[in-house]
Amino acid sequence: MELSVTDLRELVAALSQSDIVELTLKSSDFELTLRKPGAMVAVAAAPVASVPGPELVVSASPSVVEPTPASPTPPVAPPGKGSDLVAINSPMVGTFYRSPAPEEPPFVGVGDRISTGQTVCIIEAMKLMNELEAEVSGEIVEILVENSQPVEFGQTLMLVRPV
């Protein structure tokens, strides 16, 4: 069984939007376990469902989850109606990085002009660096997330004034 980056992103997104705290996918080639941050799973006590083929084990007991500490900055709602700003949202749960490496300059800053397809940041998820590309041309008006800050699926990262 092969697992593409797109498949992995979809799994992470589905997990973040559900009550499932841990998901394990096993095949003869690999074993992948996804766990929500701060989640503690009681393996012996958790109900387990199994599917034939590549073994899929889902631990679905939210009652054994430890509360995660509140993030320093809550997710920001997208711009309201009447606003000319376009939100760039995180496509996954991960860590936000403004530059390709710690000693490198940021991809973009407030006031910078961007074009469609331009890399604006990186979201690290499960040791994979995912470049996030702009879907609109315009000017960066605000960057709502600090470098190296954890982000949630759908969280607004930047606001762009389209041109």
Side-chain angles (χ1 to χ4, degrees):
M1 172 182 190
E2 289 202 21
L3 188 66
S4 69
V5 173
T6 302
D7 295 334
L8 182 59
R9 286 180 181 165
E10 289 174 6
L11 280 171
V12 170
L15 181 66
S16 69
Q17 294 178 340
S18 72
D19 290 336
I20 297 171
V21 294
E22 181 178 75
L23 178 120
T24 301
L25 184 61
K26 296 179 185 179
S27 79
S28 58
D29 300 336
F30 69 91
E31 178 177 341
L32 171 69
T33 300
L34 301 174
R35 184 175 302 128
K36 287 188 178 177
M40 289 186 55
V41 179
V43 176
V48 175
S50 189
V51 178
E55 185 181 340
L56 175 62
V57 179
V58 179
S59 170
S61 178
S63 60
V64 294
V65 178
E66 242 182 33
T68 55
S71 40
T73 306
V76 176
K81 289 189 176 188
S83 173
D84 64 339
L85 301 180
V86 174
I88 296 178
N89 298 322
S90 178
M92 66 191 74
V93 174
T95 303
F96 172 85
Y97 293 106
R98 291 190 59 192
S99 60
E103 63 281 348
E104 297 289 323
F107 290 108
V108 296
V110 174
D112 288 355
R113 294 246 180 224
I114 59 170
S115 56
T116 303
Q118 178 180 342
T119 301
V120 294
C121 67
I122 291 176
I123 304 294
E124 177 189 6
M126 296 178 55
K127 307 276 186 205
L128 295 174
M129 299 298 182
N130 302 282
E131 291 184 352
L132 186 58
E133 296 177 352
E135 294 179 0
V136 64
S137 295
E139 177 185 350
I140 301 289
V141 174
E142 190 172 359
I143 299 174
L144 302 165
V145 183
E146 295 296 320
N147 195 46
S148 303
Q149 179 179 336
V151 294
E152 297 293 325
F153 172 78
Q155 180 176 346
T156 301
L157 306 173
M158 299 176 192
L159 296 175
V160 177
R161 179 171 291 114
V163 288

